[in-house]
């Protein structure tokens, strides 16, 4: 089984500043990686995903993430945040051999300060 | 309707009540999931259905009973719940189990009194 660690439970950042949300997972087996965003009173929306190929993945709303196999990390970045990016962000991992199981982190609450 | 819908959006029930949560997906997917989201905890996968067959039950108490009559509909029947069952219950779907990303509904906020 995987464990997914999002080290920062809360990240405050000023508008137009860059941000990085960190995600590490436990196992080095072949994995698929995802970032989801959850706005208040809504379900989770997929931001981006890594299945194979290029380790730098671009998603919606100007977000990108880089898969680092040796460090078992999949950090999410955005060069300039907007007020509308204030939300909860979840990293998720599924193992290529057992796609039934999605393992989620505890989430990072991003607050963009005007 | 598009995507994944869930009803009701909010539910308050007593410990002796019986209620059901409904999920419907309009994406042509064949796998559906129930998750429990509690504050400050990772999402907990409860059940997985693939082509209407249950393929995962992550040690969920029997007071939660899922039903998947077809690939588009998923229910979660609730009875004799405990206050610690209060949470946001999220439904998701994917093309098949183990293939592709999951698409989530808005959730049902359940409060057990």
């Amino acid at each position: 089984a995987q464990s997914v660690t999002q080290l920062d439970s809360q990240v405050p950042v000023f508008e137009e500043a860059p941000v990085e949300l960190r995600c590490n997972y436990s196992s080095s087996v072949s994995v698929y990686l995802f970032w989801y965003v959850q706005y208040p009173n809504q379900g989770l929306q997929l931001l981006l995903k890594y299945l194979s190929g290029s380790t730098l993945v671009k998603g919606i709303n100007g977000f990108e993430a880089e898969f680092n196999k040796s460090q078992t990390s999949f950090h999410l970045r955005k060069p300039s945040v907007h007020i509308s990016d204030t939300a909860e962000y979840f990293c998720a991992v599924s193992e290529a051999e057992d796609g039934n199981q999605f393992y989620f982190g505890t989430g990072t609450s991003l607050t963009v300060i005007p | 309707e598009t995507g994944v819908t869930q009803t009701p959006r909010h539910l308050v029930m007593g410990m002796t009540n019986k209620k059901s949560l409904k999920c419907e997906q309009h994406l042509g997917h064949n796998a559906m999931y129930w998750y429990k989201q509690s504050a400050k905890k990772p999402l907990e996968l409860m059940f997985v259905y693939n082509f209407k067959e249950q393929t995962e039950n992550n040690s969920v108490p029997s007071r939660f009973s899922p039903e998947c009559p077809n690939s588009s509909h998923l229910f979660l029947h609730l009875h004799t719940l405990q206050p610690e069952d209060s949470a946001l219950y999220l439904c998701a779907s994917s093309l098949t189990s183990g293939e592709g990303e999951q698409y989530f509904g808005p959730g049902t906020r359940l409060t057990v009194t």
Side-chain angles (χ1 to χ4, degrees), chain A residues 62-92:
Chain A
F63 284 93
E64 64 180 32
E66 186 156 19
F67 169 51
N68 188 319
K69 186 175 182 179
S70 62
Q71 297 186 2
T72 60
S73 69
F74 191 55
H75 300 332
L76 180 71
R77 293 190 287 260
K78 185 169 182 177
S80 175
V81 295
H82 302 287
I83 296 291
S84 58
D85 293 323
T86 294
E88 192 85 14
Y89 291 80
F90 293 92
C91 180

Side-chain angles (χ1 to χ4, degrees), chain A residues 36 38 41 43 49 100 102, chain B residues 9 37 56 97 101-102 105:
Chain A
Y36 285 87
Q38 186 177 32
N41 300 315
K49 62 184 177 184
N100 269 344
F102 259 57
Chain B
R9 293 293 308 276
Q37 185 179 26
E56 290 285 340
S97 172
E101 64 268 28
Q102 296 183 8

Side-chain angles (χ1 to χ4, degrees), chain A residues 103-114:
Chain A
Y103 302 91
F104 282 85
T106 50
T108 297
S109 178
L110 174 65
T111 301
V112 179
I113 305 164

